[in-house]
C-alpha cells in the first residue's frame, strides 16, 4: 500500500492505493466498491507571486489608450481558479467593489463559476473579455485597494 495526498476542488484527502502487478487483479466485488477517502488537515496555501497575463487586453472598446498598457502596480490580481471560458464580466474599470462581490462568470466543465473579489477596492485593469479562454492562475483583472 502507498499513501498519497490528493487535492480535489480545494479539499485535500489522504488516500491509500494498492499497486497491482500485471497478473494480480482485484476481485470484481472489490473493484466495484468505492474507495474510502479520509480528509487530511489542510495546510495554509503558500503565497504566490502575482503573474501578469501573457497578452493584456482591456474590456474597454477598441481605441482605448490603455489597451496593452503595462500592468505594473495594477493592484491585486484576481486569478483564474480553473481553466475555462469567460462567460461575462460583471464589473468595469474604475468601479468600486466589495470583498466577495461577483466580478465575472467563468465556465469550466459545463459549470458556471462565480469569481469574487478577494478584497474591497476599485477595479483596475481588466485583462480578459467575454468568450476568452483562460488557464489556471491567469490574471483576469486587478483590484486596487
Amino acid at each position: 500500500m502507498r499513501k498519497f495526498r490528493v487535492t480535489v476542488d480545494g479539499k485535500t484527502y489522504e488516500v491509500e492505493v494498492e499497486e497491482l502487478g500485471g497478473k494480480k487483479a482485484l476481485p470484481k466485488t472489490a473493484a466495484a466498491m468505492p474507495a474510502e477517502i479520509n480528509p487530511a488537515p489542510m495546510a495554509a496555501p503558500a503565497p504566490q507571486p502575482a503573474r501578469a497575463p501573457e497578452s493584456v487586453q482591456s474590456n474597454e472598446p477598441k481605441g482605448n489608450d490603455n489597451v496593452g498598457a503595462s500592468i505594473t502596480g495594477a493592484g491585486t490580481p484576481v486569478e483564474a481558479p480553473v481553466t475555462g471560458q469567460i462567460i461575462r464580466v460583471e464589473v468595469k474599470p474604475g468601479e468600486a467593489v466589495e470583498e466577495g462581490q461577483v466580478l465575472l462568470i467563468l465556465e469550466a466543465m459545463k459549470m458556471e463559476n462565480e469569481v469574487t473579489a478577494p478584497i474591497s477596492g476599485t477595479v483596475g485593469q481588466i485583462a480578459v473579455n467575454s468568450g476568452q479562454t483562460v488557464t489556471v492562475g491567469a490574471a483576469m483583472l486587478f483590484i486596487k485597494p
Side-chain angles (χ1 to χ4, degrees), residues 61-103:
K62 296 203 187 281
N64 184 345
D65 290 338
N66 74 358
V67 173
S70 170
I71 58 171
T72 303
T76 300
V78 177
E79 298 178 347
V82 294
T83 296
Q85 184 176 25
I86 304 296
I87 298 300
R88 71 182 166 274
V89 179
E90 299 281 338
V91 294
K92 294 183 170 89
E95 183 176 333
V97 294
E98 295 294 322
E99 181 177 344
Q101 179 178 336
V102 176
L103 301 173

Side-chain angles (χ1 to χ4, degrees), residues 53 56-60 66 71 89-95 103-104 123-129 139-142:
V56 177
Q57 299 176 13
S58 172
N59 203 31
E60 294 292 316
N66 74 358
I71 58 171
V89 179
E90 299 281 338
V91 294
K92 294 183 170 89
E95 183 176 333
L103 301 173
L104 54 87
V123 176
Q125 186 174 30
I126 298 177
V128 295
N129 293 305
M140 298 183 293
L141 60 88
F142 297 85

